[in-house]
Amino acid sequence: MSDPLLQVKNIKAGYGEIQVLWDVNFSIEKGAISCIVGSNGAGKTTLLRALSGLIPTRGGEFIFDGIPITGLSTKKILQAGIAHVPEARRLFKGLSVRDNLLLGAYLRKDSRLEINHDLEWIYSLFPILSERSSQDATTMSGGEQQMCAIGRGLMARPKLLLIDELSLGLAPRAVEKLTEALLAINQQGLSILLVEQDVMTAFDLSSYGVVIETGKVTLTGSTAYLSEEPRVREAYLGV
Ligand SMILES: Nc1ncnc2c1ncn2[C@@H]1O[C@H](COP(=O)(O)OP(=O)(O)O)[C@@H](O)[C@H]1O
Ligand SMILES: [Mg+2]
């Protein structure tokens, strides 16, 4: 890979006695949308948590934009440019859409003007959030909450946006709106790493894919290649 944004090298991680990730290796390219696919329990969320510093690694290294970030705090990793949209979105109950979005910018030292400018940018990507600006974010539909969670991630002005389960539990029309917005954001230069249980959706959106099975990478490659790969077709595409 000529210009890797993220290199994952021999990453090991787990919980207590249980090892979940076994020497996970792959790289993703700068400027691309990449995806990690694999069955429930394969270790996708664990990998994103380790990358964001939410759980410790037990070996291996993450190199982000040429800099080792393994073992840094969540705050330092966010400042280095990795924002994480967690599984199940986790918006703050009792806070408005606007305040949830602003929380994404809490580490930035930019002026209020710049932060308000970015808020307007999020509202232009997801106009419904502008209409719902003062509503409790957790009372919105699943699709709208996902927009808000992605918007909150974008408010950190990251170089890489991690999204854990973009489409889980959402209506097809909502997924369509989200994918359109992600393509637009990617065209503006943001790199995206998706974790997605719906392999078809993941491959439609991404140019590169990583397949994880029981904590190990079993296949990597362009999504054009992976969608023709017999094992992937059989296990994940049902063809
Ligand atoms: N907090 C935790 N404590 C103990 N085991 C966990 C915890 N979270 C996940 N696991 C286990 O780690 C494995 C991988 O889970 P996870 O990374 O959530 O998979 P995926 O996101 O691919 O569905 C599973 O066997 C799961 O039961
Ligand atoms: Mg998961």
Side-chain angles (χ1 to χ4, degrees):
M1 193 167 289
S2 56
D3 198 7
L5 177 64
L6 172 70
Q7 294 166 272
V8 176
K9 293 182 167 181
N10 298 315
I11 286 293
K12 297 182 183 64
Y15 307 92
E17 308 267 278
I18 308 157
Q19 186 162 348
V20 173
L21 301 177
W22 304 78
D23 294 294
V24 170
N25 278 292
F26 66 89
S27 295
I28 64 169
E29 204 178 342
K30 207 171 272 183
I33 303 181
S34 310
C35 65
I36 303 175
V37 298
S39 316
N40 205 2
K44 305 179 298 298
T45 295
T46 302
L47 179 66
L48 293 194
R49 284 191 193 136
L51 174 57
S52 303
L54 292 165
I55 59 166
T57 52
R58 298 173 173 185
E61 239 190 331
F62 292 113
I63 314 278
F64 181 65
D65 218 5
I67 298 163
I69 56 162
T70 333
L72 297 183
S73 65
T74 51
K75 193 172 155 182
K76 284 267 183 326
I77 292 169
L78 181 60
Q79 282 172 327
I82 301 180
H84 186 162
V85 180
E87 203 169 4
R89 308 179 269 274
R90 306 202 180 282
L91 299 174
F92 291 94
K93 197 171 162 56
L95 286 190
S96 67
V97 168
R98 183 174 185 276
D99 287 344
N100 266 280
L101 291 172
L102 287 173
L103 275 178
Y106 85 106
L107 286 177
R108 288 173 54 178
K109 303 210 162 57
D110 301 313
S111 67
R112 179 164 285 255
L113 195 69
E114 277 169 285
I115 288 175
N116 279 335
H117 177 268
D118 286 348
L119 200 56
E120 290 307 317
W121 169 54
I122 306 298
Y123 289 152
S124 71
L125 283 168
F126 301 115
I128 189 78
L129 296 183
S130 170
E131 288 170 35
R132 302 272 157 107
S133 175
S134 49
Q135 184 175 329
D136 181 330
T138 61
T139 62
M140 298 192 294
S141 73
E144 289 159 3
Q145 290 194 39
Q146 186 67 294
M147 290 172 192
C148 188
I150 290 171
R152 184 179 57 184
L154 292 172
M155 284 301 289
R157 277 277 174 194
K159 295 178 194 160
L160 175 64
L161 186 69
L162 310 176
I163 305 176
D164 197 353
E165 301 293 5
L166 176 70
S167 77
L168 195 61
L170 304 183
R173 183 71 194 110
V175 176
E176 212 173 290
K177 279 192 192 160
L178 288 163
T179 57
E180 278 166 19
L182 290 181
L183 287 170
I185 299 160
N186 175 248
Q187 298 230 310
Q188 295 172 19
L190 181 73
S191 307
I192 299 171
L193 179 58
L194 286 177
V195 159
E196 180 56 57
Q197 48 88 40
D198 178 0
V199 176
M200 207 88 89
T201 297
F203 284 4
D204 270 355
L205 199 51
S206 319
S207 55
Y208 189 79
V210 175
V211 181
I212 296 193
E213 288 169 7
T214 55
K216 295 181 179 130
V217 173
T218 51
L219 282 167
T220 58
S222 71
T223 50
Y225 157 76
L226 290 176
S227 52
E228 294 302 323
E229 214 286 330
R231 282 175 291 170
V232 173
R233 289 173 70 84
E234 193 184 334
Y236 303 106
L237 297 171
V239 286

